[in-house]
Amino acid sequence: MPAEKKTRAAARKIKDKWKSKVWYNLLAPEMFNKQLLGETLSDTPDKLVGRIAEVTVQDLTSDFSKMHIKLQFKVDRVQGQDALTQFIGHDMTSDYIRRLTRRKRTRTDLTVDVTTKDGWRMRVKPMAITDRRIQSSKQRAIRAIMAKTIADTAAKQSVGEFVKGVISGDLAKAIALGCKPIHPVSRVEVRKSEVTAAGAAPTEPIAGSAAAAEEKPAEAPVEAPPAEPEPAPVEPAPAEPKPEEPAPEELPPEELKPEDVDEL
């Protein structure tokens, strides 16, 4: 009997864990303008650190053509009700990759480790697809060009600029242009990237993120040119008084009119 009473008492004391949990906002890092990624539940802030959130570029920029690119963010720290995240890499959907790879084409893959100007170390995995089958020697030459182009680009750019080039396709265009003398490629994609070591926190936002709206600096007000002083009104010169005509009595006889002479 005492054991049964203890079990019943313990069952009554069980609390609903969901009632103790609180919603936290997941915010993107500075390079993505701290946009809202979503919300998550947790009973303590410590349990949020280390969680990974995955969103598409379309969710951040409203660009439908980038819906196949997925971005990964990891919760770094918690401030109040906001969970601040850090960019850890990107990936592409498998159906998009399969759609690019077809028969009688050659797909050349590469994995290269690079370091950005601000000390971020990343592992980048590009791929180049030709419109026909090519020899292994050409594939080796294409891999060498891809590795050199990515390493040179990363060394000259910060992590924010490098990620922007990966998402926008500028890096893929540079690779395709470099591979053109070896063999024209029909498509180049950076299918995956991973952050292996984080450096200084980037501050510049990525263009196109928008909820995507790029923050523009406030324009300085244009000063109006000083108004020219209005000329003082010119006072009209006083009219000269007309000479008074002398009365007929004052005129000499030779200047009198005939009718005046008769009156006299």
Side-chain angles (χ1 to χ4, degrees):
M1 291 295 294
E4 291 181 2
K5 290 182 180 180
K6 290 182 180 179
T7 305
R8 292 176 182 175
R12 293 172 185 172
K13 291 180 181 180
I14 294 176
K15 295 182 180 180
D16 189 0
K17 295 181 179 179
W18 288 96
K19 291 183 179 179
S20 62
K21 294 186 177 182
V22 182
W23 287 101
Y24 291 87
N25 299 320
L26 295 173
L27 301 182
E30 289 284 351
M31 71 171 78
F32 291 94
N33 286 329
K34 285 191 173 182
Q35 297 184 47
L36 181 64
L37 303 177
E39 296 180 340
T40 185
L41 276 170
S42 179
D43 51 356
T44 58
D46 298 339
K47 294 182 179 180
L48 290 176
V49 178
R51 291 189 184 182
I52 296 176
E54 184 177 89
V55 296
T56 64
V57 177
Q58 180 190 2
D59 297 334
L60 296 180
T61 63
S62 302
D63 186 359
F64 185 76
S65 63
K66 304 293 183 182
M67 62 179 297
H68 60 280
I69 303 176
K70 300 180 294 182
L71 305 175
Q72 287 96 26
F73 300 95
K74 186 176 182 179
V75 177
D76 175 337
R77 61 190 184 279
V78 180
Q79 293 181 355
Q81 295 299 116
D82 297 332
L84 306 181
T85 61
Q86 179 181 339
F87 176 76
I88 60 172
H90 91 286
D91 195 3
M92 289 188 176
T93 58
S94 58
D95 60 334
Y96 178 79
I97 300 298
R98 286 197 302 268
R99 190 162 61 247
L100 298 178
T101 308
R102 298 184 180 180
R103 294 177 58 189
K104 297 183 180 180
R105 295 184 180 183
T106 300
R107 170 178 162 178
T108 305
D109 290 284
L110 176 69
T111 300
V112 56
D113 294 332
V114 297
T115 303
T116 61
K117 183 175 65 175
D118 47 0
W120 285 61
R121 295 181 183 178
M122 300 185 67
R123 178 164 295 167
V124 185
K125 299 180 180 181
M127 70 174 186
I129 299 175
T130 58
D131 56 354
R132 64 187 66 181
R133 293 176 182 174
I134 60 176
Q135 300 174 350
S136 299
S137 58
K138 289 186 177 181
Q139 282 187 285
R140 288 193 295 270
I142 289 175
R143 287 192 184 97
I145 293 173
M146 287 196 295
K148 185 178 184 304
T149 303
I150 295 174
D152 293 346
T153 303
K156 298 176 184 178
Q157 296 178 344
S158 63
V159 65
E161 297 169 341
F162 186 72
V163 172
K164 174 186 173 183
V166 170
I167 294 174
S168 64
D170 294 339
L171 182 58
K173 292 178 182 177
I175 295 173
L177 190 62
C179 296
K180 191 174 181 180
I182 304 299
H183 189 91
V185 292
S186 60
R187 198 62 177 264
V188 177
E189 294 286 356
V190 181
R191 62 181 183 86
K192 191 173 184 179
S193 67
E194 302 172 4
V195 176
T196 56
T203 56
E204 71 278 2
I206 290 183
S209 356
E214 185 177 341
E215 295 182 359
K216 296 183 180 179
E219 297 181 357
V222 179
E223 296 183 0
E228 297 181 359
E230 296 182 359
V234 179
E235 297 181 359
E240 295 180 359
K242 294 182 180 181
E244 297 180 358
E245 295 183 359
E249 299 85 5
E250 299 177 359
L251 291 174
E254 60 273 10
E255 295 183 5
L256 290 174
K257 296 179 182 179
E259 57 271 14
D260 296 333
V261 174
D262 295 340
E263 292 179 1
L264 293 174

